[in-house]
Amino acid sequence: MIRMIIDAAKRWNNVDFEALFCRTDESGSTILQLAVERNDVDAGRLILLEDPAYQHGREIKRNGLMLLIFKAIDNKCSDHIIKLLSQTYEDGINPRHKDVLALILAIRRRDEVYDRQVKRNED
């Protein structure tokens, strides 16, 4: 469905692509957020490829992407969707900072393991 909408928008020259991808539903979720919540890797990949806001050098969306990665981890989304988001994030950052995201993700995952161990010990 998303592919059909994107193809139709491309045929109409006066469509604002960025505005199309920024639209939200009644809960305030964008189509990328909905794709992540549903663990839909194919839809997520298509959105990230087509949304001009995720193209090289767009810092505002990259910051939002980091929050979406954390949300995906917290919601225990598939590793495929987390890798897709992470790769898109890393593709747009300074090469000197490439390992920062991996470090953050490792810390977050380690915190989850630690929290589970603490909880088991408390029970």
Side-chain angles (χ1 to χ4, degrees):
M1 180 72 156
I2 294 171
R3 167 55 61 198
M4 290 176 12
I5 293 169
I6 290 170
D7 289 344
K10 285 180 177 180
R11 286 192 298 270
W12 301 323
N13 293 334
N14 60 347
V15 173
D16 180 1
F17 250 44
E18 198 160 344
L20 176 72
F21 289 104
C22 286
R23 294 190 68 182
T24 60
D25 66 0
E26 58 278 352
S27 70
S29 297
T30 64
I31 58 172
L32 180 59
Q33 291 168 328
L34 293 172
V36 170
E37 288 172 11
R38 292 177 174 91
N39 276 318
D40 192 333
V41 177
D42 293 331
R45 183 176 293 114
L46 181 61
I47 294 163
L48 291 170
L49 287 173
E50 296 289 345
D51 186 346
Y54 290 107
Q55 305 310 314
H56 214 47
R58 299 298 302 266
E59 195 60 40
I60 293 171
K61 281 279 188 142
R62 299 251 175 253
N63 293 335
L65 196 55
M66 178 65 87
L67 295 175
L68 193 54
I69 293 167
F70 291 153
K71 186 175 180 180
I73 292 169
D74 291 343
N75 292 339
K76 298 182 180 16
C77 290
S78 73
D79 283 342
H80 297 294
I81 199 82
I82 293 169
K83 286 178 185 175
L84 173 68
L85 297 170
S86 299
Q87 184 62 49
T88 302
Y89 178 83
E90 287 187 348
D91 286 347
I93 62 175
N94 185 316
R96 292 179 296 168
H97 301 119
K98 289 285 185 195
D99 295 328
V100 170
L101 180 61
L103 176 62
I104 292 169
L105 294 175
I107 291 168
R108 295 278 297 212
R109 287 189 173 132
R110 179 68 183 134
D111 284 347
E112 288 176 6
V113 170
Y114 177 77
D115 289 344
R116 281 184 286 206
Q117 288 173 348
V118 168
K119 188 174 183 172
R120 265 190 243 132
N121 291 339
E122 289 175 350
D123 293 336

